[in-house]
Amino acid sequence: MANVYFVRQGTGESATNSGRELPLSSIASAFAGRNLVWSQGPPCFGDLLPANSVADFCYVVVHVENGERAAGFTKDGYWLLDGVS
């Protein structure tokens, strides 16, 4: 299982929703062909400003751990689904 987070610009608790646990294979098949951008730690978008708690979520980040693998998700860490909002 992987955790999927919706993220908005800025920092603080309101920058990320609480997340949802989904099978990594389901995420991989739903977003096949999308560019995946890996990072070891959680990515931050617009880290110079606090998040606006009513702004739209602009990014989708998948957290993979415990050695789970599927399609382009090849290692543990945080994967940005580039171009998906």
Side-chain angles (χ1 to χ4, degrees), residues 26-58:
S26 296
I27 298 166
S29 64
F31 296 100
R34 287 291 183 169
N35 186 35
L36 302 174
V37 180
W38 179 84
S39 64
Q40 186 173 7
C44 185
F45 306 96
D47 57 348
L48 298 179
L49 301 171
N52 179 338
S53 62
V54 297
D56 290 337
F57 289 107
C58 301

Side-chain angles (χ1 to χ4, degrees), residues 5 7-8 10 15-16 37-47 59-62 77-80:
Y5 298 96
V7 184
R8 55 174 62 102
T16 305
V37 180
W38 179 84
S39 64
Q40 186 173 7
C44 185
F45 306 96
D47 57 348
Y59 308 98
V60 178
V61 176
V62 179
Y78 293 83
W79 294 88
L80 169 67

Side-chain angles (χ1 to χ4, degrees), residues 1-3 21-25 27 63-66 68:
M1 299 295 269
N3 288 304
E21 194 173 67
L22 296 169
L24 186 58
S25 59
I27 298 166
H63 181 208
V64 177
E65 56 187 347
N66 300 322
E68 189 173 6

